Every structure is written in structure tokens, then in C-alpha cells.
Amino acid sequence: TLPSVMSRTYLSWSLGELGRLPEAAVRAEEGLQIAERVGEPFSRIAAYTALGSLRRRKGDLDEAIPILERARALCQEANIVPWLPITAAELGYAYALRRRFGEALPLLEQGTERFTGFFKALWIGWLGESYLLAGRMDDAARVGRQALELSRNRKERGYEAWALRLLGETAAQRDPPDAETAEVHYHQALTLAEELGMRPLMAHCHLGLGKLYRRTGDRAKTGEHLTIARAMYREMDMGFYLTQAETV
């Protein structure tokens, strides 16, 4: 594959985690231009995946899904085996966020089962979030604990932060909410995210805390966390999530 494309793919993913989304977009689009010009399949798959992943992170799902479907199709056509689970997980998570669970869950389950590498804890978390969106609370909690254990065993602190946020979401969305557990997990995730500079995750934690405190009747903390979440989403141009924060 082309180092110039792969370096841009990983750089785009890393910038996305930090909330530097315009820079991430530039690198992803540069990678795709290079890959298309050369025509090498492995590089094209990586470039499409990077760009689709960025669109998904922003919440631009109508743009993300066709790009990720293209990456998935190219991967199958060229039989690029190492990227089959990667494209499956990315596309499955985008489908889940669009609530297309019949398509999402088999892809995510396939991705997590067949892959043992460095994305595994993250993808297990995506599977758990998909279960949560589908209303499968117990499955979400079970998978969230798996993601947390694996990320801690591997010392993958960024993925640990995402797993903690998932466990916070799962506890917060129970009826009635397990407020104490949710609050602990959200704050643990937020502490790690702040230390690592993971601004999209920080915003998601503030949104989750705002929703939690609204359910428990703490108006002051509700306003505090929702104000922060809205400001961060606005700064990062994450309109999909800003709309959610504004309608709480």
C-alpha cells in the first residue's frame, strides 16, 4: 500500500479523536485523491474508510454511509482480508447510529469476532452502543464491561474512556436510572478524555451528564453540562449532536 495514504488515514483518525475535524478532513481528502490517482485497491479502501469515519464522527450519516459502503464493496471485490473487519465495523456503527439495526448488528458482531488487533476494544464498545440504541440494555452493559476490561488489560486509555462513557450511558438510560453508577462512569470517562485531549468524547460526556441530571431533577447541573456540550459541538461543527443537545 501507499505510505502517503496510510499515514493520512491514521492521522485523520487521530485528529478526529482530538476534535480537530477540519484538519482531519483535509488529510482524509488528500489521501483519497492520492489513492484514486494511483488506483491501488488497498489504499483506496483505507482512504474511503478514513473519510467515511470522519463523516460518521461528525454525525453526517447521510454522507458517511455511502462512503463506507463504497469502502466495504471495494474490500470485498479486491479480497483485502485485513480490512474486511475494519470496514464491517465502521459501516455497522454508522448503520446503528441511523438505527438500521438489522444491518448494523451482524456487521459489528462480525467485526468484533474476527479481529484481535488494536481496534477490538473500540469496536466492542460500538457494538455495546448499538445494543443500547436498540433497547437491549443488558447486552449493552455486558459488552461495555468487556470493552472496559480489554482496554484496561491492553492499556488502551482512549478506548478505556469510550468504554466508561458507554457504561455511563447504559446506567443513565435504565428506568429508573442508576444515577450514582452513571455519574461515576461519566466522570471517569471525562477525566481520561480531558487528559488525552479527546474533545468529541468530552462533549458526549457532558451531554450525557446533562441528560442524567435532567432526569434526576438537578437543574443547575443540567444547565452547566448542557451549556458546555453545546459550546463544544458548535466549535467542532458537530451539528447532528448539537441538535440533540439543544433539544434536551
Side-chain angles (χ1 to χ4, degrees), residues 17 104 147 176 216 237 239:
E17 285 282 11
T216 59
D237 192 26

Side-chain angles (χ1 to χ4, degrees), residues 73 75 170 183:
C75 194
T170 304
E183 189 174 25

Side-chain angles (χ1 to χ4, degrees), residues 111-128:
T112 55
E113 287 170 3
R114 296 185 180 181
F115 194 79
T116 60
F118 50 85
F119 287 125
K120 189 175 181 72
L122 178 67
W123 294 349
I124 292 173
W126 289 356
L127 177 60

Side-chain angles (χ1 to χ4, degrees), residues 6-248:
M6 292 306 301
S7 62
R8 285 170 169 83
T9 294
Y10 284 104
L11 182 56
S12 174
W13 279 334
S14 301
L15 291 168
E17 285 282 11
L18 297 174
R20 294 163 59 179
L21 302 181
E23 295 175 72
V26 168
R27 298 309 179 194
E29 288 163 2
E30 286 175 352
L32 183 58
Q33 290 172 6
I34 295 168
E36 291 286 30
R37 185 167 62 248
V38 175
E40 191 273 312
F42 197 115
S43 299
R44 294 177 69 208
I45 294 162
Y48 274 111
T49 304
L51 187 59
S53 177
L54 177 64
R55 297 285 190 266
R56 183 266 306 157
R57 186 184 299 278
K58 290 186 64 179
D60 297 337
L61 301 176
D62 289 339
E63 297 178 19
I65 287 173
I67 295 171
L68 293 171
E69 287 175 336
R70 180 61 175 152
R72 179 74 176 157
L74 284 170
C75 194
Q76 292 172 321
E77 290 167 11
N79 195 31
I80 306 295
V81 175
W83 278 75
L84 285 170
I86 298 174
T87 56
E90 284 281 359
L91 180 57
Y93 188 36
Y95 281 152
L97 293 173
R98 184 51 85 205
R99 299 182 180 272
R100 293 166 57 176
F101 301 119
E103 297 161 284
L105 293 175
L107 286 171
L108 285 163
E109 289 164 350
Q110 171 188 333
T112 55
E113 287 170 3
R114 296 185 180 181
F115 194 79
T116 60
F118 50 85
F119 287 125
K120 189 175 181 72
L122 178 67
W123 294 349
I124 292 173
W126 289 356
L127 177 60
E129 185 175 348
S130 303
Y131 285 145
L132 182 62
L133 291 169
R136 295 168 57 175
M137 307 294 292
D138 292 339
D139 286 331
R142 172 181 55 79
V143 169
R145 290 190 294 270
Q146 291 176 2
L148 182 61
E149 180 181 6
L150 180 60
S151 61
R152 284 178 170 171
N153 287 342
R154 293 182 171 187
K155 297 180 172 56
E156 296 169 339
R157 299 175 72 233
Y159 297 163
E160 178 184 351
W162 280 108
L164 286 164
R165 181 253 179 177
L166 170 60
L167 291 173
E169 289 278 296
T170 304
Q173 293 185 34
R174 292 193 178 276
D175 189 18
D178 183 351
E180 183 178 351
T181 299
E183 189 174 25
V184 168
H185 283 135
Y186 277 133
H187 280 293
Q188 288 175 338
L190 188 55
T191 297
L192 263 178
E194 288 173 344
E195 182 180 342
L196 298 172
M198 300 168 67
R199 297 184 73 246
L201 178 54
M202 290 165 58
H204 293 331
C205 289
H206 283 296
L207 176 58
L209 283 165
K211 290 179 178 180
L212 174 65
Y213 290 131
R214 185 179 183 89
R215 290 191 70 186
T216 59
D218 192 329
R219 296 181 64 182
K221 288 185 178 180
T222 298
E224 173 191 349
H225 287 284
L226 290 180
T227 297
I228 295 171
R230 290 164 185 161
M232 295 186 76
Y233 288 139
R234 194 173 292 112
E235 290 168 4
M236 293 182 287
D237 192 26
M238 297 176 69
F240 175 79
Y241 295 103
L242 177 59
T243 299
Q244 291 185 22
E246 289 178 336
T247 56
V248 173

